Structure formats: structure tokens, C-alpha cells
Amino acid sequence: MSMSIDRRSFLAAGATAATAAVLPAAFGQGESGGGRPVRIGLIGCGRRGSSLASVLLRLPDVRVTALSDTNPANLQAAAGLVTAGGQPEPARYGDDPEAWRRLLERDDVDAVVIATPWDLHAPMAVAAMKAGKYAAVEVPCALSLEECRALVDTHEATGVPCMMLENWSFRRDNLAVLNMIRKGLLGEMVHCHCAHSHDCIDHWFFDPQGNDRWAARFLIEHNRDQYPTHALGPVLSWLDINVGDACATIASTATASRGINAYFARKFGPDHPGARRKYAQGDIVTSVIRTQRGRTIVVNYDMQLPRPYDNRWMVQGTLGLYREDPSTVYVVDRSPKYHAWEPFAPYQKEFDHVWWREHGAAAGAAGHGGTDFLELKTFVDAVRARTQTPIDVYDSVTMSMVIPLSERSIAAGGVPVECPDFTGGRWKTRRPTFALEA
Amino acid sequence: MSMSIDRRSFLAAGATAATAAVLPAAFGQGESGGGRPVRIGLIGCGRRGSSLASVLLRLPDVRVTALSDTNPANLQAAAGLVTAGGQPEPARYGDDPEAWRRLLERDDVDAVVIATPWDLHAPMAVAAMKAGKYAAVEVPCALSLEECRALVDTHEATGVPCMMLENWSFRRDNLAVLNMIRKGLLGEMVHCHCAHSHDCIDHWFFDPQGNDRWAARFLIEHNRDQYPTHALGPVLSWLDINVGDACATIASTATASRGINAYFARKFGPDHPGARRKYAQGDIVTSVIRTQRGRTIVVNYDMQLPRPYDNRWMVQGTLGLYREDPSTVYVVDRSPKYHAWEPFAPYQKEFDHVWWREHGAAAGAAGHGGTDFLELKTFVDAVRARTQTPIDVYDSVTMSMVIPLSERSIAAGGVPVECPDFTGGRWKTRRPTFALEA
């Protein structure tokens, strides 16, 4: 059965009409859709990739048909997951660093899920789109403005969607807040605060023995917000970024770098190489984004000082505000006591998103509080229906562009730098599509 | 009895030796000290001034000997407070706008407390120092860099102390956090967040009927952090600003102005002049201060959107952090659970400041949770002992300079602007004096 793709459904969400003619043959020749399962190729089968595979295997009518990883043990373990899930033995690509490209040539792959080190995300997603495969790519989807541009250009040239897997956009609380905002409870949006406060020094940048992991070099070589997407995910939807508003400028300031050296000295002694090495990365980065419509977003990077996990979300409008922790809200003419917080819980119940009402039970058992389930389910649904993904390429690069832009601003002493408009001005007329309930 | 002033005690806290020769005659001729009461002249007897008078009247060995206000009713009411407190009828100066200058000529005034509109603070404090009177001046102590400079120059020329009455520096929680920091629990300081989130639209900038009060014009004419001192008060002590570190640059970004118009339209209808008038002031201002030693301080102005009061204090170091709300702390190798908050309450108890242990009962019954009591008690103690005030002129202007500097940065599109160093480089060698327990 030959499937034709409904390209209008992609284009409606932003691709230019000028690009509509370019459609790779492979993209029209897939076999998904209708009653057939969506077939996924997984590139990157490490800790994150295998976790995503477990979620994919829980989704109905989804097959994991091919795997790629340069580490044979990862590949073996992931293949075991697939067969243990009752599915046929997946094809494996692991014999050389470019093996993943051959996975993209397969006819029985409708979409790829990419969970590799950061610097591989954009090249793999670009190649996937060029091969006509829907691309779901882990955060961040790009590390440079050139990579952002390549993702957008490739999407617009091919019409193939690309979605960054920003799971915090799918959190139950964040989606209820989105519903509140869309129903007008908080009035006109004015300001947001968000953060990725997550001490990753002792297990993620470095292993527990103090050895460098693959991302350690980013701390040595760069001073920037290394990981802004979890902070920004829900904020984009709260403020209609790219669908009514757009990021205009960003100004970033970094502290000195103290935390990493202090960690190594404390844990391994002052003579440990990690305690003496110079890191470019400051401990806390504060970025202030100003939007075209005059809203502001404060984003904090905070991943190398000892502390509990925190996203510090706060969104404020002309009629009230929500803050994540303590989970409270204030709404003019509704909150019972003047200028006093009330618990968010009743609002969570009243404004609970349909995704969670319908799939919360299934989602809850999956990774990251069920958000991995929802992001992959909605991605797979889009692949099956040949429609735009819930998070599109514009939102994906908007979240990721903070990495290179913050580096540029910090290097320039904190001056605001202009944000590229990847929508080419269409943010003024595009309408929200993410998580619409109607 | 002729009192000689111990000028070394002032000079030790920062005044230059070169200025030591200039000592106004009046300052050496006071009658305070020894067993005699400290005699206060109060300039500004409105709501805030009379509240401060009530606190002063609770302090032992303090007399309120003179009052000044251009409003006869205020003057009458404050005089009634004084006599009701069992003290002699105070002298009154209210017949013309310059009457307060004659109050400064009195021999029975050792110090003045200034609680007038913002734009009068600096001229009055300067005149007080020139008259040899200790100056306690309400927040902010200055609105321009020229006023900041005048306060510092006058202090250095006269040797007379000037203290801004920043009461949040004296909060019980903030002082316990200061003790924790000084004992090293949080390691090397890295970052702070602070805010003045206080919806003052319906009672302070405007009266409840929607009429302009005296500060309304600041919202019409300026776009800046109008009121940074309550946010910054404790932060200065936490980060050793002016005593080991100093503010280097500040970059400020304002949102559009939506809240004031929305408030008037909602409460008085869309045709009310307040709903149509253009306000220069953005709703939320985010300022990022970078210090000479590479720390950062984020300061949010947030006084015209509907919301509960909040200061959003957070202070973070290489070994842990404190946040105000929810009142929690995390300390490496001490907090029982890895990466989990614990309640601040036990730390409050363990690190409670001596001021609160000794005076908490008396302070608690006074204004603003007892902080008004402590700030005035420690000010009066300094007057009595002829020593430097707990908050000196350098800290006072450092908190206030954010007003003009934020305006300059916002007007320039958010570029970082250089912070003047009012200590003339002495921040490198000056040592902390505020709230030392030893």
C-alpha cells in the first residue's frame, strides 16, 4: 500500500508554501498509517535511549524495527528489550560510527527517535528528515545557530516534521496551567521565570568516580546555558512563542566557575585533576529573554552546585500568577483572600488536560512522571496520521538556540543579542497548535 | 557637658582620613551620650513617620524632641503620640516647606529620622549630616547617582553617619541565614535571587478611589526598578558587598506596561483616565548584577500586578542554598537526604541572631515583624555610642543606586552599565561590620 502524505497538515503549522514541492520519494513510500503499526528506528541505545524504547514498547501499534548504537552492549540490551516486549528481532546498526545512516535507508522505518550525545542530535535529525523519516530528537536538538538553521531549512525543504522530545512541556501541572492561561484566568501574560536547577556533577557530567563523561568537555570549553530546554518547554506554550509572540533579544550573565572545582576537591581531594582543571562554565547562568510583545522570560542554568532538583516555574499575567513550588496560584476576583496564595491542587483538578484525563493512568507508570509516555504517544500519533508533531521544528530550535545565544551574550559581557526569527515573521500570524483541547 | 566625637569609629568603617578634619561645630556640641537620652527629630510625620515614632517611643532613653511635616494634621497627630508616650511636647516645624531646616539647627536634636516622599530623602539627609546630626533615612535614600554621590561625599566630609532604614536587613530569618553563611555552611557564595513583589497599585501609588498619590508620577515618568532596597537589603550582607566584594555591572530589562492600565480598566472602567494614561513603567523589571568577584544577583521589581507579597529570596553557595518560600535549605554533608530540601526552622533556631535572642520579645510587638524596632534600636545605639551605624552610607547608596542604573540600562536596551564604586576601591579591604555577633 502506497501512502501519500497530507502535506497541507504540515504546512498549516508553518512550513512555507514555497517548499511544498520538495518531497523525497521515500517519504511517500512508507507503509505506516491506516491499521498498520508505526515503525520506529532508535538511534542511540544508551540509558536514555533504552528508557525511551521501553516507553515505545508500551504504546499500541508501535514497532521498534531497527536500532543503532556504536556500543555493542547497548545494542544487545536494547534488542533484548524489544524481543522481551514480544516484537520481532530488530535490525541492528553498530559496526561503525556512520552505521545509523544505513538505518535511515530502511523502508520499514517511518520515524526515528534520536537519543545520542548532544552534538549528534542535529546532524542525525537533518539526515532523518532528508530520508523522509519523522524525527524525534532528544534535548537539545541543536548546539549552534547553524544547526538550528539546518533543522528549519531541512524541515521546510522536505516537509518532514522534526520534534524535540522536551518532556516537561507535557507535565500534568504545566498543561493545566496552559489551560488556565488559555481560558484567560491569568489575564494578559507578562513575565515568566524558569530554571533547570539540577546538580549533575556527580553522575552525569562526570561519573561517580570522577571520570569525565561525554558532556564534561562542554563544561571545559563553553560558558553558556548548556541545557535550557527543560526550563523553557512549558514557557513557550504559556507565552505563545512562535504563535503570536517571539523571542526578540536575550542577555545572559554567568557567575564565576566555583562549583566543579569545589566538588572535586571535597570528594577526591584538592590534588585531583578535576579540582585543579579550569572550567569555562560558570556555575549559574541567568538569561533574560525579551519578546517582541514586551514580555520577559528569566531562565536560570544551575547544574553544578549541590542542590535539590527544581524548575522554579512562575508565570505571571495581568490577572494573577502561578508558581510551581510551593504549588500555588493567585487569581484576581477568584482567589478567596486578597493578596493571598491558594493551593494549586483544585485548579489542577479543574483544568486538568485531556491528555492526562484520558491517558494519565497509562502514562503514570512510564518515565519522568508519565511525560515520556505522552511525548512519544503524541509523536507517534502524528506519524500515524501524517500530521505535524505537537512540538514542531520552530519550537524545538527556539528552546535550543539559547545555548549558542547565551554563550555569545556572556562572551560579549552580557549585552543583549538578537534572537534569529526562524519562522521568518510568521510568528505574527501562526496560531497555537500545541495541546489544544478543542 | 561637651561631648567629643570618636571619629575613628566612623573612619574605621570607611571614611577617608583626608576628611577627618572637617567637623561641624554643632556635631561636637550635642548633649547625648553618657546617661542622657538620645534626642530625635522626626522629619515626615505621615503614615510611615508616625509608625517609626511609635517605635522610637518604645525604646529606652530616647526622646522625640522635634517634629516636622507640612501637613498640620500629621504634625498634630505625631505630637499627640509623643505626649501620650509620656514625653514633653515636641517642637513643631510645619509652617513652610523649608521648615525642616530649622529643626536641624536645634541643639536638642542628636539625630534625625527622615520619612518623607522619596525625592526629599537625599537632600534632607545631606543637610542633616552637614548640621552634625546622625541621619536615618527611609528607603530609598537616593533616586539619582548625583544624590548617591552627595550622600557619600557629605558623610566623608563631615564624618557623620547616614543609615538608610532598610528593615528587611534585620529580619529574623535573613539574619539567621547571614549567620549560616558566616559560619561557612553554604560554602563560597555564588548567586542570589531577590524581589520586591508587592502589589501597591490599589493603595500606595494610587489611593483606593484611583486618585494619584505622590509616587504615581514616578510610574508615569520613569521605567526602572523603583524600589530595590527591600530586595537587596539582606543580599548585601550575604554577599559581603562593599566589604570584600562590590557590584560591578547591572543589566536591566523591563516588560511592557500592562498592569496599571488593566487595573484601572477593571476597577473603574475602560474610560477612566488611569486606564487610558500612558505609564513609562514596565510591570516587571529584572536586573542582573554581576559583582567584582563574579557572583550574580537577580533583582525583580514587581509592584503593579495583582499578587501576594513575596521577596523570593534565594542564596546559593558551593555547599548549599537557602530559599525563603517554601522556607527550606539544603546543605551538603548535613542535610539528611541527598538532593532533598529540609525545613529551615531548625536552622532558624540554631543560627538565630543575638539581636533576636535578646530583643525578639520587645521587637516582635513593633512594626514589620519587629524589624522596625531592631533597625531603630541599633541606629539609636550607634548615636548614643557615637559609632558608625549598622547600615552605613555605602550600603545605603549601593541599594538605592539600582534605581537610576536600572533606568539607564533599560533605556539603553538592556546593556550592562557600570556600577559606581562609592567606596573608592576600599571594598577590597573593608571588613564586614553589619550584625557581627562576636
Side-chain angles (χ1 to χ4, degrees):
Chain A
M1 177 164 99
S2 173
M3 301 298 300
S4 77
I5 177 169
D6 178 4
R7 301 196 77 258
R8 282 167 303 181
S9 55
F10 298 162
L11 297 173
T16 61
T19 66
V22 188
L23 177 64
F27 195 55
Q29 294 167 355
E31 296 177 27
S32 78
R36 304 187 72 106
V38 171
R39 298 151 317 170
I40 304 285
L42 176 65
I43 306 178
C45 303
R47 190 164 52 176
R48 181 63 183 149
S50 57
S51 170
L52 291 172
S54 300
V55 176
L56 288 165
L57 293 166
R58 299 165 53 95
L59 294 173
D61 295 321
V62 171
R63 292 275 160 78
V64 178
T65 52
L67 305 172
S68 178
D69 199 298
T70 53
N71 180 328
N74 286 351
L75 209 48
Q76 175 71 25
L81 273 177
V82 173
T83 52
Q87 298 196 5
E89 182 84 28
R92 303 189 201 181
Y93 297 86
D95 42 335
D96 74 86
E98 298 293 311
W100 59 274
R101 296 190 186 274
R102 299 203 302 282
L103 179 151
L104 296 180
E105 294 165 8
R106 295 182 66 92
D107 283 344
D108 65 349
V109 168
D110 305 307
V112 293
V113 171
I114 300 164
T116 51
W118 296 348
D119 48 331
L120 299 176
H121 288 178
M124 288 173 167
V126 164
M129 284 187 278
K130 285 183 176 170
K133 316 296 188 191
Y134 270 70
V137 55
E138 259 301 336
V139 301
C141 67
L143 294 176
S144 68
L145 294 180
E146 294 71 25
E147 287 186 345
C148 291
R149 173 51 64 195
L151 288 167
V152 170
D153 287 350
T154 306
H155 166 67
E156 294 186 349
T158 61
V160 182
C162 173
M163 168 173 165
M164 186 173 72
L165 293 171
E166 180 37 64
N167 48 5
W168 279 175
S169 298
F170 294 82
R171 272 175 57 147
R172 191 166 203 156
D173 47 2
N174 292 338
L175 286 169
V177 172
L178 178 60
N179 273 343
M180 289 171 62
I181 290 170
R182 286 180 172 167
K183 291 188 163 71
L185 264 77
L186 303 186
E188 182 176 348
M189 292 298 94
V190 174
H191 179 70
C192 281
H193 190 108
C194 60
H196 194 65
S197 295
H198 185 192
D199 178 9
C200 285
I201 286 303
D202 60 359
H203 63 287
W204 197 86
F205 287 115
F206 309 96
D207 72 18
Q209 290 73 45
N211 302 304
D212 288 1
R213 292 188 71 244
W214 57 263
R217 71 177 173 89
F218 295 130
L219 302 179
I220 296 164
E221 296 169 7
H222 299 279
N223 192 8
R224 62 191 186 187
D225 187 328
Q226 301 272 3
Y227 208 55
T229 75
H230 290 326
L232 280 169
V235 174
L236 254 60
S237 60
W238 294 340
L239 296 195
D240 284 342
I241 300 297
N242 295 330
V243 286
D245 200 356
C247 300
T249 60
I250 177 169
S252 300
T253 311
T255 69
S257 185
R258 297 279 182 266
I260 313 175
N261 291 126
Y263 163 76
F264 277 102
R266 189 172 75 245
K267 188 144 174 187
F268 303 103
D271 294 330
H272 187 282
R276 293 157 162 260
R277 184 163 57 179
K278 188 167 161 47
Y279 301 92
Q281 182 62 49
D283 291 329
I284 306 287
V285 175
T286 303
S287 298
V288 181
I289 296 170
R290 195 170 198 275
T291 74
Q292 295 286 356
R293 292 178 60 185
R295 289 104 168 232
T296 50
I297 307 166
V298 178
V299 193
N300 276 121
Y301 163 90
D302 173 12
M303 294 179 68
Q304 52 208 54
L305 293 174
R307 59 162 299 144
Y309 186 91
D310 200 351
N311 285 113
R312 299 175 66 194
W313 282 304
M314 188 270 272
V315 54
Q316 188 166 15
T318 54
L319 293 179
L321 77 168
Y322 159 81
R323 62 174 177 178
E324 181 204 358
D325 187 12
S327 186
T328 44
V329 68
Y330 179 72
V331 181
V332 158
D333 295 336
R334 175 171 169 140
S335 290
K337 206 173 150 196
Y338 174 71
H339 282 184
W341 296 106
E342 54 172 327
F344 177 65
Y347 290 83
Q348 175 67 65
K349 198 171 173 190
E350 180 175 350
F351 297 97
D352 200 20
H353 194 274
V354 62
W355 286 344
W356 283 94
R357 293 199 309 273
E358 294 186 356
H359 307 291
H368 291 101
T371 58
D372 291 353
F373 179 95
L374 275 184
E375 69 176 1
L376 288 173
K377 182 194 182 304
T378 53
F379 171 74
V380 162
D381 287 349
V383 178
R384 181 175 286 114
R386 315 311 279 170
T387 53
Q388 184 52 270
T389 47
I391 293 175
D392 66 16
V393 75
Y394 303 104
D395 292 343
S396 300
V397 298
T398 297
M399 291 184 244
S400 302
M401 74 183 179
V402 170
I403 298 170
L405 292 173
S406 63
E407 183 163 29
R408 187 178 294 186
S409 177
I410 290 167
V415 298
V417 298
E418 208 171 311
C419 299
D421 172 15
F422 291 106
T423 72
R426 278 168 288 135
W427 62 266
K428 295 172 197 164
T429 50
R430 296 174 87 228
R431 303 295 308 143
T433 57
F434 177 71
L436 288 178
E437 286 204 306
Chain B
M1 181 163 101
S2 174
M3 302 297 301
S4 77
I5 176 171
D6 178 5
R7 300 196 79 257
R8 281 166 304 177
S9 55
F10 299 160
L11 297 172
T16 60
T19 65
V22 188
L23 177 63
F27 195 55
Q29 294 166 358
E31 294 176 29
S32 78
R36 304 187 75 106
V38 170
R39 296 152 315 170
I40 305 284
L42 175 65
I43 306 178
C45 303
R47 191 164 51 177
R48 182 61 184 151
S50 57
S51 170
L52 292 172
S54 301
V55 177
L56 288 165
L57 292 166
R58 298 164 53 94
L59 295 172
D61 295 321
V62 171
R63 293 272 162 79
V64 178
T65 52
L67 305 173
S68 178
D69 199 297
T70 52
N71 179 327
N74 286 352
L75 208 49
Q76 174 72 26
L81 274 178
V82 174
T83 52
Q87 298 197 5
E89 181 82 28
R92 302 187 199 181
Y93 297 86
D95 41 336
D96 74 86
E98 298 293 312
W100 60 274
R101 294 190 188 275
R102 297 202 303 280
L103 178 152
L104 296 179
E105 295 166 6
R106 293 183 67 92
D107 283 344
D108 66 349
V109 169
D110 305 307
V112 293
V113 171
I114 299 165
T116 52
W118 295 350
D119 48 333
L120 299 176
H121 288 177
M124 287 173 169
V126 164
M129 284 188 278
K130 285 184 176 169
K133 316 296 188 190
Y134 271 70
V137 55
E138 260 302 335
V139 302
C141 68
L143 294 177
S144 68
L145 295 180
E146 294 70 26
E147 287 186 346
C148 291
R149 173 51 64 196
L151 288 167
V152 170
D153 286 350
T154 306
H155 166 68
E156 294 186 348
T158 62
V160 182
C162 172
M163 168 174 166
M164 186 173 71
L165 293 172
E166 181 36 64
N167 46 5
W168 280 174
S169 299
F170 294 83
R171 272 175 56 146
R172 191 165 201 155
D173 48 3
N174 291 339
L175 287 169
V177 172
L178 179 61
N179 273 343
M180 289 171 62
I181 290 170
R182 286 180 172 167
K183 290 187 162 71
L185 264 77
L186 303 186
E188 183 177 347
M189 291 299 93
V190 174
H191 179 69
C192 281
H193 190 107
C194 59
H196 194 65
S197 295
H198 186 192
D199 177 9
C200 286
I201 286 302
D202 60 359
H203 63 287
W204 197 86
F205 286 115
F206 308 96
D207 71 20
Q209 289 73 44
N211 302 303
D212 289 1
R213 292 189 69 244
W214 57 263
R217 71 176 174 89
F218 295 130
L219 303 179
I220 297 165
E221 296 170 6
H222 298 280
N223 192 9
R224 61 190 186 187
D225 187 328
Q226 301 272 5
Y227 208 56
T229 74
H230 289 327
L232 281 168
V235 173
L236 255 61
S237 61
W238 294 341
L239 295 195
D240 284 342
I241 300 297
N242 295 331
V243 287
D245 200 355
C247 300
T249 60
I250 177 170
S252 300
T253 312
T255 68
S257 186
R258 297 280 183 266
I260 313 175
N261 291 126
Y263 163 76
F264 276 101
R266 190 172 75 247
K267 190 144 175 187
F268 303 103
D271 293 329
H272 188 281
R276 294 158 162 257
R277 186 162 56 180
K278 188 166 163 45
Y279 301 92
Q281 181 62 49
D283 291 330
I284 306 286
V285 175
T286 303
S287 298
V288 181
I289 297 170
R290 195 170 198 276
T291 75
Q292 295 285 357
R293 292 178 60 185
R295 290 105 167 231
T296 50
I297 306 166
V298 178
V299 193
N300 276 122
Y301 163 90
D302 173 13
M303 295 179 68
Q304 53 208 54
L305 293 174
R307 60 163 298 144
Y309 186 92
D310 200 351
N311 285 112
R312 300 175 65 196
W313 281 304
M314 188 270 273
V315 54
Q316 188 166 15
T318 54
L319 294 179
L321 76 168
Y322 159 82
R323 63 175 177 177
E324 181 204 358
D325 186 13
S327 187
T328 45
V329 68
Y330 179 72
V331 182
V332 157
D333 295 336
R334 174 167 170 141
S335 291
K337 205 172 151 196
Y338 174 71
H339 283 185
W341 295 107
E342 54 173 327
F344 178 63
Y347 290 83
Q348 175 66 65
K349 196 170 174 189
E350 180 175 348
F351 297 97
D352 199 21
H353 194 274
V354 62
W355 286 345
W356 284 93
R357 293 198 310 273
E358 294 187 355
H359 306 292
H368 291 100
T371 58
D372 291 353
F373 180 95
L374 276 183
E375 69 176 3
L376 288 173
K377 183 195 181 304
T378 54
F379 171 73
V380 162
D381 287 349
V383 177
R384 182 176 285 116
R386 316 308 281 170
T387 53
Q388 184 51 270
T389 48
I391 293 174
D392 66 16
V393 75
Y394 304 104
D395 292 344
S396 300
V397 299
T398 297
M399 291 184 243
S400 303
M401 74 182 178
V402 170
I403 299 170
L405 292 173
S406 64
E407 183 163 28
R408 186 179 294 185
S409 177
I410 290 167
V415 298
V417 298
E418 206 170 313
C419 298
D421 172 15
F422 290 106
T423 72
R426 279 167 288 134
W427 62 265
K428 296 171 196 164
T429 50
R430 297 174 87 229
R431 303 297 307 145
T433 58
F434 177 72
L436 290 178
E437 286 204 307

